[in-house]
Amino acid sequence: IRDREQPKNKTAVALVGCDRPDYYEKVVQSLAHQVKSHPVYAFLDFKDRASQEAHIRITEQYIPHAAMYLRNGNWGCGRNIVHARDTLLNILGFEQAFVFEDDLIVSKDYIILMERLMAWATENYCNVGADQGWNPCLHRAKDKEARLGVVEATQCNWWGYLIRREAWMAIRDRMMELCDKFLMCDYAERHIPAITSWMKDWRVEHGMKQIPGIQYPGHIDYAEDMARHW
C-alpha cells in the first residue's frame, strides 16, 4: 500500500488497472480535474511488473493525492474489483464509492452528474443501490424524455458506477464467497460454467428473475454474463 493524505469526502473513487497503461492513462486524464476533492485509491493488478510501474507513474502524474494498492501478481479484474469495493466501503467505511476500470473515458461532468443522480434516487426511492452513466437503453428519444423520472433495473456490465455502502454490504458475503470459491486461481483459468451455475442458484434463492425485454447481443443470460465479467 502506498498511502497519501486524502481530501475529506463521504465519496471515494476507485481506479482499477492492469497491463493497459495506454488505456488507463486516458481514463485517469478524463477524471483528474473531477476528483480533486475526492479520496482516490488505485488498485493496480499486473501480469507484467513494468506495466504496473507505468500505472503507478500515470497515477502520480495526474492524481498526486491518490493512494495505491499494489497487487502482488495477477489477481484478475473480478477479484481486484471485489476487494476494491470492500476496501473502500467496508474497511475504510466510505458512504459511497465510484469504481472505474481502464477502458472508457468519462465526460467532464461525470462525477457530479452521478452524485446528483444518486442524491435524487435515494430521496425518491428506497431501493437504489448504484447508478452509472453507461447504460444501453432501447427506448426512443421521446420515450426516454417522458421517462426521465423512472428508475428501471437493467442487465448490463457495471462500469464507472457509484455504489452505496448499504448496497455493497447487502451482497458482500456472496461476493467474498465468489472470490474464495472461484477467483483464487489464475484469472484466465476461472471456471465460467461453475460460476454461471452458482450465480443462477443465487438468483433462484432470492427470487430474482430474468428481466423481460432486456436482451441485446452478448447478454443472452444474466448469470452467464456475470460469470464471464467476473
Side-chain angles (χ1 to χ4, degrees):
I1 301 173
R2 297 189 182 182
D3 208 356
R4 297 285 191 277
E5 184 175 351
Q6 297 277 13
K8 302 297 183 183
N9 198 311
K10 68 178 183 179
T11 303
V13 176
L15 303 172
V16 180
C18 179
D19 284 349
R20 298 194 296 187
D22 52 338
Y23 282 39
Y24 180 79
E25 183 171 14
K26 291 181 174 64
V27 176
V28 173
Q29 280 180 311
S30 72
L31 283 167
H33 76 283
Q34 302 187 55
V35 298
K36 291 180 179 180
S37 63
H38 291 73
V40 178
Y41 298 81
F43 297 86
L44 303 178
D45 199 4
F46 77 96
K47 295 179 182 177
D48 174 9
R49 178 70 74 176
S51 172
Q52 188 183 55
E53 291 296 329
H55 282 74
I56 293 170
R57 290 193 296 272
I58 291 165
T59 306
E60 291 177 335
Q61 177 183 352
Y62 293 103
I63 310 178
H65 71 271
M68 285 176 271
Y69 284 74
L70 307 180
R71 305 311 191 192
N72 58 1
N74 185 209
W75 281 31
C77 65
R79 183 181 169 202
N80 196 16
I81 292 171
V82 168
H83 281 269
R85 290 197 301 235
D86 197 55
T87 297
L88 299 187
L89 297 168
N90 177 41
I91 298 172
L92 298 181
F94 288 102
E95 291 184 22
Q96 51 190 21
F98 284 96
V99 180
F100 292 98
E101 295 179 66
D102 59 359
D103 52 3
L104 284 177
I105 299 170
V106 300
S107 62
K108 62 183 181 65
D109 297 314
Y110 187 86
I111 292 288
I112 193 169
L113 173 63
M114 292 301 101
E115 288 180 326
R116 289 178 177 177
L117 181 60
M118 179 61 79
W120 170 84
T122 53
E123 183 178 341
N124 290 278
Y125 292 82
C126 64
N127 60 348
V128 175
D131 67 8
Q132 64 181 27
W134 188 89
N135 271 323
C137 181
L138 304 182
H139 292 305
R140 293 173 296 179
K142 65 177 183 180
D143 295 327
K144 291 179 184 180
E145 185 174 353
R147 299 175 66 83
L148 281 177
V150 177
V151 172
E152 293 183 348
T154 60
Q155 295 181 179
C156 64
N157 289 335
W158 285 22
W159 188 95
Y161 54 90
L162 177 61
I163 180 171
R164 293 183 56 80
R165 184 176 188 274
E166 295 90 338
W168 170 245
M169 297 307 293
I171 62 173
R172 177 187 183 273
D173 289 349
R174 189 66 170 183
M175 293 297 98
M176 301 307 286
E177 184 182 353
L178 168 73
C179 287
D180 292 342
K181 282 181 176 292
F182 302 109
L183 302 181
M184 300 303 291
C185 59
D186 184 284
Y187 194 59
E189 297 177 1
R190 70 194 187 284
H191 198 285
I192 291 176
I195 300 174
T196 300
S197 177
W198 182 81
M199 291 295 293
K200 285 181 176 178
D201 290 343
W202 188 31
R203 190 175 69 198
V204 171
E205 178 185 341
H206 288 78
M208 299 165 63
K209 297 181 180 179
Q210 189 85 5
I211 301 172
I214 309 298
Q215 297 287 338
Y216 41 93
H219 296 253
I220 304 303
D221 181 275
Y222 180 57
E224 181 177 354
D225 178 58
M226 286 292 289
R228 292 187 181 279
H229 183 66
W230 295 114

